[in-house]
Amino acid sequence: MKNLYTYIAIAVTAGCALLTTTSCTDFLAEKPLTRKTEDNFWNTRADAESVVNSLYFGGMPYMHNIEISGGWTPKATMWGGITSGLFIDTRKDRTFTTASEAGTYNVEAFDGIALSLWNELFIGIGRANYVLQNLSRTEEFLTPAEVKSYEAQAKFFRALNNFELVKNFGDIPKVTVAFDSPEEINQPRTPAAEIYAMIEEDLLAAINSKALQNLTFYQNKGRVTQAMAETLLAQVYLQWAGYPVSDNSKYAKAAEMAQRVISSGVHSLEQAAGSKQGLESAYNVLKTSKDSKEVIYAKEYNWSSHKIGNSYPSRSIGTEAFQWKDAKGNGIFHPGGDVMYNCYLPTGILLDSYAPEDIRIQEKQLFFYEYTDDTGLEHTLGNAGNWMWFDEEALKKGQDSDYNMPMMRYAEVLLIAAEGYAKSGNEGKAREYLNQVRKRANLAPVTSGGDQLVQAILTERIHELPLEFRIWDDIRRTRLYPEADGMHSGTLKWTPLQQAKVQNKPAVGKTKVGGIPEYALLWPIPRVDMQANKELKTQNPGWK
C-alpha cells in the first residue's frame, strides 16, 4: 500500500456517480489517475470517488468476467452449475469440467477455480476495508452524508464478497483491515457461523444507516440501494439456514428481510398479472431493459460507448451456429476471436421439467432452438441455446453486448420470502408469494403444504432463475438434488444428495447415484494460499 497505483478501471464498474455532478458517461469511462503514494492519496473528492467506484467491479461483480486461464471457457459464475451436472460445458477442456463429470473430486482438479475465487473475492474485501479505514481522512472535502453513503456502500461490498467466500469455502480468514505488509496475510480460518454474523452486522449497519437510497437500481444510477442491501441479507439468511451451518432460525429472518423489500413498494414484477407471449414477454423485457423495476442489482455493461461489454452472448449458443450460412452463402455470426460455443448448455432434465404451458420454456423466452437470418433462411439448434444471453447484433458484428446481467431480481425476493415463510410455519404467505411468480409464468397456483410446498418453491427457483446461477447454492444449502419427476410435469423431485441420480456423469452413463459427495459442496482451499498463509493449516474435509 506504500505505492498506490490508482489506474481505476471505472469502465467496468456498475453505474453512475452518486452525490456528485459526475455524469453516467464519466462514471463508465476509464479514468487513469496519476500514481500516488498512500500518504498523498486521500486528499481530494476525486480520490475518494475513484476508490469507491472500484468496489463495483472487483470481487464478486468481477466473477462475471473471470475465466480459468482465459479464453473461451466457463465464467466463474458458471462453475457451480457445471459441477451440478444440470448444465454442460460442451468443450470439455477444463480440468474441473472433466473431473466433475467423472465424479473425481480432488484438489488438483479443482485448485484452479478455487484459487481464482479465493483471490478475487479477497481483493474485493481488501478494497472495501481500504475504503472503510480511510474515510475519516475525507471529512475536509466530503459532507457527512457522503461519508455515510460511501461507508454503507463499502460495507455492502465487504458483505457481498464475504458471502461468496463463505458459501464456497466454509470457514475462511476473517479480514477486517487492508494489509500493509505480506506478513499480515497470516490469518487463521474463522468458523462459518462467525463469518455469517459479521456479514449480517455489515448489512444491518448499511440498512439502518439511512444512507442508502430507497430507489430502484436504475433510478439510483447503478449505486447500492436499500433494496440491494436487504435482498443480499435475505439471501444470506437463506444460505445461513442451510449447510454447513444449518441454523434453521434464519428461515424466519430470510422471510422478514424479503418482506421489507416487498412492503417498500419500490420493486415489482414485470407484467405481474401474466406475461405476454413472444418477444413482448416479461422475460424479453428483462433481457433488454435498463430501467426495469424488477431488477434490484445488475452487472452493467456498455460496449457501444465504452467498449466494456457483456461476453455472455458468445456462450449463448453452440458451435454449430458458428457454421451457419445465410441464403447467399455468407457466415451469419462473427464472435470475437472467431470462436463461438456454449459452455453452459441446459440439460434435458431441466428443459423437460417445465410444464408445456409455462411461458418460460416457450421458444425465445429463457431458451431457444430456432433462428431466422436476414435472408429468411431458418436454422435449428441441436441443443437449446440460452435466449436470455443471445444478442443477435453483437454476434453478427463480432463484439460484446450492451445487455446488463441481472444479479438480483424481485422474483427471487418473492421466492426467498416464500421459502422462508414455508420453513417457519406461515404456509399461507409462502403460497401467496410463490404463486405471484407462477402467475406471471402462466401457471396454476400451488395449493399444497408441507414438504410438497417446499419442493415446489425450490423447483420454481430453478425454473425462474436458471441462468442466474442459483442452482449450486440451492444444492449446497439444502443437500438436495433435483431429479426428474415426469416429462413436462412442471415438477422436480428433490432427493437427498447421496441417494440422488446426479446428471451428466458420462464416465458411468448419463447419471450416477451419489455422483456429488457431500464434501464437494465446499471447494478446496487453494494450495498456494495454504503455503503462503501459515495459519491455513487444514484443508476442507474430504479433499485430497
Side-chain angles (χ1 to χ4, degrees):
M1 298 299 295
K2 296 304 179 185
N3 289 297
L4 182 68
Y5 290 82
T6 56
Y7 186 93
I8 303 298
I10 297 172
V12 289
T13 60
C16 306
L18 177 72
L19 303 172
T20 75
T21 58
T22 306
S23 69
C24 183
T25 300
D26 291 337
F27 182 80
L28 288 171
E30 289 188 347
K31 292 183 180 178
L33 304 178
T34 57
R35 174 176 172 170
K36 296 185 176 184
T37 66
E38 184 180 11
D39 291 338
N40 68 9
F41 182 72
W42 289 90
N43 291 330
T44 68
R45 176 182 295 273
D47 289 347
E49 288 175 353
S50 68
V51 179
V52 173
N53 287 343
S54 75
L55 299 175
Y56 285 79
F57 79 92
M60 170 54 197
Y62 195 65
M63 287 171 63
H64 288 277
N65 300 73
I66 289 178
E67 299 153 333
I68 303 175
S69 67
W72 297 82
T73 61
K75 295 176 182 285
T77 48
M78 302 173 177
W79 296 341
I82 291 170
T83 303
S84 77
L86 294 167
F87 296 89
I88 304 173
D89 174 8
T90 57
R91 186 159 172 170
K92 302 183 189 302
D93 64 351
R94 301 296 98 189
T95 302
F96 92 94
T97 297
T98 303
S100 63
E101 288 188 0
T104 307
Y105 296 91
N106 56 51
V107 174
E108 183 177 3
F110 283 78
D111 194 59
I113 65 173
L115 181 62
S116 294
L117 290 175
W118 184 274
N119 286 354
E120 185 58 40
L121 294 170
F122 273 114
I123 286 172
I125 291 169
R127 289 177 178 175
N129 286 335
Y130 184 65
V131 171
L132 290 168
Q133 70 189 48
N134 284 284
L135 279 175
S136 61
R137 301 168 62 178
T138 66
E139 294 175 354
E140 292 184 3
F141 49 86
L142 294 180
T143 68
E146 289 171 328
V147 172
K148 285 183 66 177
S149 175
Y150 285 169
E151 180 181 25
Q153 291 176 65
K155 287 186 175 181
F156 171 86
F157 281 106
R158 184 165 69 179
L160 179 64
N161 287 293
N162 269 308
F163 182 41
E164 289 301 317
L165 275 167
V166 77
K167 283 192 300 183
N168 281 290
F169 298 101
D171 301 349
I172 58 170
K174 183 178 181 179
V175 178
T176 58
V177 297
F179 297 140
D180 290 323
S181 68
E183 292 74 22
E184 291 179 311
I185 69 170
N186 293 323
Q187 301 291 322
R189 296 174 74 181
T190 298
E194 293 184 34
I195 299 297
Y196 274 111
M198 180 178 69
I199 294 168
E200 178 187 37
E201 181 180 356
D202 271 349
L203 290 174
L204 287 176
I207 290 165
N208 295 329
S209 69
K210 309 299 183 185
L212 299 177
Q213 298 296 312
N214 198 26
L215 300 170
T216 69
F217 177 72
Y218 291 118
Q219 289 169 343
N220 202 40
K221 300 179 180 175
R223 293 290 185 164
V224 178
T225 66
Q226 187 78 0
M228 282 172 64
E230 290 168 347
T231 300
L232 177 56
L233 187 49
Q235 293 174 335
V236 167
Y237 284 138
L238 195 65
Q239 207 78 21
W240 194 350
Y243 174 84
V245 180
S246 302
D247 184 347
N248 287 338
S249 69
K250 297 303 185 289
Y251 283 116
K253 286 186 173 290
E256 176 187 353
M257 196 53 57
Q259 185 66 59
R260 290 181 59 153
V261 180
I262 295 166
S263 298
S264 73
V266 172
H267 292 275
S268 58
L269 292 176
E270 290 288 345
Q271 302 175 16
S275 177
K276 296 178 182 178
Q277 298 191 4
L279 297 181
E280 295 182 347
S281 71
Y283 310 101
N284 276 285
V285 171
L286 286 167
K287 172 181 174 177
T288 59
S289 175
K290 293 198 174 184
D291 61 5
S292 173
K293 291 183 178 180
E294 182 166 342
V295 174
I296 295 174
Y297 179 26
K299 171 69 173 171
E300 291 193 294
Y301 297 99
N302 189 329
W303 177 262
S304 298
S305 298
H306 301 299
K307 299 300 181 284
I308 302 301
N310 180 345
S311 62
Y312 280 96
S314 293
R315 294 158 176 82
S316 64
I317 45 182
T319 51
E320 61 194 295
F322 179 57
Q323 308 301 321
W324 290 347
K325 296 185 183 298
D326 63 20
K328 300 177 182 179
N330 298 316
I332 299 168
F333 299 127
H334 307 282
D338 287 334
V339 178
M340 182 196 304
Y341 61 90
N342 196 327
C343 51
Y344 206 65
L345 282 170
T347 60
I349 182 178
L350 173 61
L351 297 172
D352 294 340
S353 67
Y354 285 87
E357 67 271 21
D358 191 328
I359 288 176
R360 295 168 298 196
I361 198 55
Q362 295 175 14
E363 180 71 9
K364 294 182 176 62
Q365 298 303 313
L366 303 184
F367 309 104
F368 75 115
Y369 286 94
E370 308 296 332
Y371 174 76
T372 303
D373 67 37
D374 291 340
T375 64
L377 196 62
E378 295 183 356
H379 307 269
T380 302
L381 292 166
N383 295 97
N386 298 320
W387 181 255
M388 290 298 286
W389 300 347
F390 180 79
D391 184 337
E392 180 181 31
E393 290 304 308
L395 290 173
K396 286 163 63 176
K397 293 178 180 178
Q399 65 189 38
D400 285 344
S401 173
D402 286 329
Y403 293 162
N404 290 341
M405 192 72 180
M407 294 170 65
M408 297 176 185
R409 281 199 289 122
Y410 185 69
E412 183 184 3
V413 171
L414 291 171
L415 294 174
I416 292 173
E419 187 174 352
Y421 281 128
K423 297 287 281 188
S424 57
N426 192 338
E427 293 188 344
K429 274 286 190 184
R431 285 188 290 268
E432 175 187 347
Y433 292 133
L434 167 63
N435 287 330
Q436 286 184 31
V437 179
R438 290 176 61 83
K439 180 178 181 180
R440 198 255 298 270
N442 194 40
L443 295 173
V446 166
T447 59
S448 59
D451 185 60
Q452 284 186 310
L453 174 59
V454 172
Q455 294 219 6
I457 295 166
L458 292 173
T459 298
E460 200 64 29
R461 285 178 60 86
I462 288 186
H463 286 168
E464 179 66 24
L465 309 166
L467 301 176
E468 292 168 48
F469 316 113
R470 297 293 186 259
I471 181 57
W472 188 238
D473 286 349
D474 289 349
I475 292 171
R476 269 179 171 156
R477 64 185 175 82
T478 64
R479 286 175 285 184
L480 300 174
Y481 190 87
E483 292 186 309
D485 193 33
M487 185 70 72
H488 307 308
S489 65
T491 62
L492 287 160
K493 183 170 59 177
W494 290 80
T495 304
L497 188 61
Q498 297 312 302
Q499 287 81 53
K501 296 177 182 177
V502 176
Q503 295 295 305
N504 191 28
K505 302 295 175 186
V508 290
K510 295 182 67 175
T511 64
K512 179 182 180 181
V513 174
I516 300 174
E518 187 170 291
Y519 74 80
L521 294 176
L522 298 176
W523 299 138
I525 305 300
R527 290 178 294 189
V528 67
D529 285 281
M530 292 189 71
Q531 294 166 358
N533 182 348
K534 299 175 183 178
E535 296 296 328
L536 292 178
K537 298 176 180 178
T538 58
Q539 181 56 271
N540 274 334
W543 288 96
K544 301 185 184 304

